[in-house]
Structure formats: structure tokens, C-alpha cells
Amino acid sequence: MAALINPVVSGLFRFKTSWPNPTAEKTLCDTETPDNQRNQETPVQTGLTGFSTLLKPLPTWRRSVFRWFVGPVFAASSAADADQGVEGAPNETGKVKKRSGYLEWEEYFMAIAFLSAMRSKDPVTQVGACIVNQDKKIVGTGYNGMPIGCSDDDLPWDKKHKSTLENKNLYVCHAELNAIVNKIEADVRGCTMYVGLFPCNECAKLIVQSGIKEVVYYSDAKAEKPEYRASKRLLDRAHVKYRQYKSEKAQVSKVLVDFDEPATKSA
């Protein structure tokens, strides 16, 4: 598995730092093996030790997010690689097996939503959304930002200004809205939306009216606010399913992105 992770992806899953932090549990990446024991390390231990060393230059909170979000995938993938030998090499029967450690569909779609969120200019909350049709084809993506043609520098990003007119909520288009209007098909009826944060009531209206059948969300951090309680009421009455994202793999709920790996392998 990959030994290096390009620092450019260090913010990939930076989403909202005030959300519940699951880093209380230590992962394999939280400890390093002493130098005098390195010759006794397994391939998995060696990879994880290098991974921890690579994270040191990053800010503490971002390092923690990476250990929480990337560590388990790195460990599971490396363990699979160690068990199966070098990927792409023939096994004892002479047959080359498919690559292990690839993304499942839901991991892929949620990762696209998180990646889209990185385009957001919002200084507080970055949200991304990804719409997928019945054939598992992505038909729309979006992130929260100002309307087309409106300068990100001229309109306000404040949400606690004493003047209502100077609050961002009057101007920002949410990720769900942008994903729907950015659709590449005639409509999104029957599609599934993957989104980082549970939709507000205004986005729920759009979801219902556009015919989306299901919402898969990552966080419900604002569940107690009236607009999000109203959102659930709308979705329930319109028979739009919603559920929190859960990885299909028991030990893997994180995603590893390595921009170097494809370039280092020959076709």
C-alpha cells in the first residue's frame, strides 16, 4: 500500500472542527516503534510508523482528523496487502487477483461530497453534496457558496452580525441546492443525495420537489435546531428516506487519498 500521503490532501476531510471529535480512541497511528525495533516490524507496522512521522508537520487538530479518518483504512489495506503479497502478481494458481482496498460505492460517493466541500469559501462550515442515479452514476455535485456572478469578496460571510442584512444566511446557496441545479440530466427524480451535513428545511423542500428518493448524510450536528427538525418532518411526510452514512466494512470507515501512488505505478 502507499507509503506516502501528499500533504495537499491534509485538509480533505476538514469539515467542521467543532463537530464531535471521535479521536478519543487511539489508533495504530498514535504510536511509533523505537528505532532499535524497526528491523522487527511487520509491513503494516512499518507503513503506519512512516504515516505518523509524515503527519507531524500538520496542525494538531488536522493530524487527529487524519488519524481518525485515514488510519483504519491504511491499516486494513496494508494488512490485506501483507496477506496477499504484491498486488498484480500471479498467485499460486497463476491468476492475477484484483486490487484490494478499493472504495465501496458509498465510500466513493461520500468522499466526492467531502471533496466538493473543499471548494467552499465559507470560513466556518464547508459542506458538499453528490447526487447519484439508480445506475450509480454521479449526476450532480455542489458545495455551499455565493450565487454565480456574486463576488465571494463583496458579500458577507458573517453569521452573527448585528445587522440582519450583513449575515451570510441571506446570500449563501447551500450545497444541496447547488447540486440539484448543477444536474447533468433532465431531472434527478429517483436519485440519492450524499451530503456532509443533514439538510436544512429549505434544502429539504428542494429535495422533495426535485423527486430525490433518499438522503445519505454524514453528520446531524444541528439536529436540535428548529429548521432541521422541520426538515425531518418534511422528508417524513414526503416519504423521502434518510439515513446516516455507515461504512459497509466493519473496521474501515475512512478514506485514504494518495496523489503520488498512481504516478509511481506503470500501466
Side-chain angles (χ1 to χ4, degrees):
M1 193 59 189
L4 293 176
I5 297 179
N6 193 309
V8 74
V9 299
S10 62
L12 179 56
F13 298 105
R14 178 188 177 192
F15 193 48
K16 190 172 191 306
T17 58
S18 61
W19 288 354
N21 183 0
T23 57
E25 297 183 6
K26 295 186 68 176
T27 69
L28 291 173
C29 295
D30 291 326
T31 58
E32 295 188 23
T33 306
D35 291 339
N36 62 357
Q37 297 181 17
R38 291 199 182 258
N39 60 344
Q40 301 177 8
E41 291 179 342
T42 66
V44 175
Q45 291 170 330
T46 301
L48 292 175
T49 300
F51 177 66
S52 289
T53 302
L54 184 64
L55 293 178
K56 285 184 178 179
L58 300 177
T60 302
W61 76 266
R62 193 172 290 182
R63 218 162 46 227
S64 298
V65 169
F66 258 83
R67 283 176 173 148
W68 170 62
F69 209 94
V70 176
V73 159
F74 190 89
S77 298
S78 298
D81 293 346
D83 289 340
Q84 297 182 13
V86 179
E87 289 179 345
N91 58 16
E92 61 277 4
T93 65
K95 180 180 179 182
V96 176
K97 290 187 176 181
K98 67 181 180 182
R99 184 177 70 86
S100 62
Y102 56 85
L103 292 179
E104 299 294 344
W105 282 116
E106 295 237 310
E107 294 170 338
Y108 171 59
F109 297 137
M110 187 58 76
I112 293 296
F114 271 76
L115 186 62
S116 298
M118 292 184 67
R119 280 286 306 152
S120 175
K121 315 299 191 309
D122 194 311
V124 178
T125 306
Q126 303 84 45
V127 182
C130 174
I131 302 175
V132 182
N133 67 16
Q134 297 93 322
D135 296 323
K136 293 184 169 57
K137 300 293 189 299
I138 295 174
V139 296
T141 60
Y143 55 88
N144 57 318
M146 296 300 176
I148 295 173
C150 299
S151 173
D152 297 319
D153 299 315
D154 294 341
L155 291 175
W157 288 105
D158 197 337
K159 68 174 184 178
K160 295 183 179 179
H161 198 281
K162 60 182 180 180
S163 170
T164 303
L165 195 60
E166 295 304 315
N167 281 278
K168 68 176 183 179
N169 293 336
L170 295 182
Y171 308 100
V172 171
C173 298
H174 286 190
E176 298 91 331
L177 181 156
N178 282 328
I180 291 172
V181 300
N182 288 342
K183 65 185 183 297
I184 60 173
E185 292 190 345
D187 61 57
V188 291
R189 190 169 303 278
C191 292
T192 298
M193 175 180 284
Y194 292 81
V195 62
L197 184 63
F198 195 93
C200 68
N201 62 307
E202 292 299 324
C203 290
K205 296 175 187 177
L206 289 167
I207 289 169
V208 171
Q209 294 296 84
S210 65
I212 289 175
K213 69 173 184 179
E214 184 176 24
V215 175
V216 182
Y217 62 93
Y218 187 84
S219 171
D220 196 11
K222 300 181 180 182
E224 297 306 314
K225 290 188 174 183
E227 52 266 47
Y228 293 89
R229 295 173 64 183
S231 175
K232 291 184 175 69
R233 181 180 292 183
L234 285 170
L235 296 178
D236 287 338
R237 282 161 175 71
H239 305 290
V240 177
K241 298 178 182 178
Y242 54 87
R243 58 185 171 85
Q244 190 163 25
Y245 165 80
K246 299 292 183 184
S247 173
E248 295 179 1
K249 303 171 185 176
Q251 300 299 324
V252 180
S253 59
K254 326 303 178 191
V255 177
L256 170 66
V257 176
D258 187 342
F259 285 103
D260 287 336
E261 184 176 0
T264 60
K265 292 186 176 180
S266 58

